[in-house]
Amino acid sequence: ELLLAVLNDLDLSSVEVSIYGAGSTDYVQSLKKSCYNKNISIIDGFVCDSKLPDLYANHHLVVLPYSITSVLNSGSVINAFSYQRAVISSKIGTLSDISNIPQKYFDYEYENQEEHFLKLYKLIDSIIKTYSGRYNDLLLFGKNANEYIKKENSLSIVSLKLEKLLSNLDIKFWDH
């Protein structure tokens, strides 16, 4: 609802937006009725893993306007990065963990619902204005995030971090 409200207020003449998700028939119908921008498509239904490659291939940017009071981390962020897609999200733990490399994602912080709307609105509006006509440039963010995730979450690095954590507990599971 928040995302749809933000998008309805923006000039989307240079973009096409798809909102995916499963919901009750009544809820989806109410969303479709409240959607008055012809460049927004609401697609009802669960998106299974086999559909993700095509879905990501047809979109430059993934918007995840999480509530910071209920979402600490998100597999959807990592999933978008694995398909080299740029992400807009509220500042959740997943993004904080990779904040030291520029040009990976777009994030924002807020303290209440009104501020959430305004910050998300300003960020999406700024991205549309900045990247209008060159949306493929957004793919650099996804590529950078993907490279960072692959490097920092490689088996060798994760093993070393886990070993260090476990050594602090004085537990030894394996030898090098």
Side-chain angles (χ1 to χ4, degrees):
E1 295 167 10
L2 171 75
L3 180 58
L4 184 56
V6 167
L7 295 171
N8 271 330
D9 283 355
L10 287 167
D11 174 8
L12 301 177
S13 59
S14 67
V15 298
E16 292 179 20
V17 177
S18 302
I19 300 175
Y20 290 84
S24 71
T25 302
D26 291 341
Y27 181 66
V28 172
Q29 287 306 317
S30 76
L31 286 178
K32 287 182 178 183
K33 285 180 185 174
S34 65
C35 177
Y36 53 84
N37 191 314
K38 65 180 172 69
N39 287 13
I40 301 172
S41 300
I42 297 175
I43 295 95
D44 179 29
F46 177 76
V47 179
C48 61
D49 289 345
S50 65
K51 302 285 185 196
L52 288 175
D54 288 337
L55 187 140
Y56 284 119
N58 292 315
H59 297 85
H60 293 89
L61 188 63
V62 177
V63 181
L64 302 164
Y66 290 120
S67 167
I68 57 172
T69 60
S70 62
V71 176
L72 299 176
N73 288 295
S74 169
S76 295
V77 169
I78 300 300
N79 203 13
F81 291 161
S82 72
Y83 285 96
Q84 299 187 6
R85 287 304 175 257
V87 168
I88 296 175
S89 177
S90 50
K91 186 84 170 198
I92 57 173
T94 304
L95 297 179
S96 296
D97 290 345
I98 59 171
S99 62
N100 59 340
I101 305 278
Q103 289 193 306
K104 291 184 304 300
Y105 56 83
F106 302 94
D107 69 341
Y108 60 96
E109 295 181 89
Y110 67 92
E111 294 192 21
N112 56 50
Q113 276 303 104
E114 182 180 322
E115 191 176 27
H116 193 178
F117 177 94
L118 291 172
K119 295 254 182 130
L120 183 58
Y121 177 94
K122 287 178 182 177
L123 183 54
I124 294 174
D125 186 50
S126 172
I127 291 168
I128 290 170
K129 288 176 179 170
T130 302
Y131 293 95
S132 182
R134 52 187 193 90
Y135 291 110
N136 283 332
D137 289 355
L138 290 170
L139 299 179
L140 176 63
F141 284 81
K143 183 175 186 260
N144 288 344
N146 177 274
E147 289 172 1
Y148 181 85
I149 294 297
K150 284 197 293 193
K151 178 183 168 218
E152 293 300 314
N153 293 302
S154 69
L155 181 58
S156 60
I157 288 177
V158 171
S159 295
L160 288 173
K161 288 178 181 178
L162 182 59
E163 184 176 359
K164 183 178 178 182
L165 175 70
L166 293 175
S167 71
N168 291 336
L169 300 174
D170 203 28
I171 298 173
K172 195 167 191 177
F173 289 99
W174 65 86
D175 289 318
H176 288 336

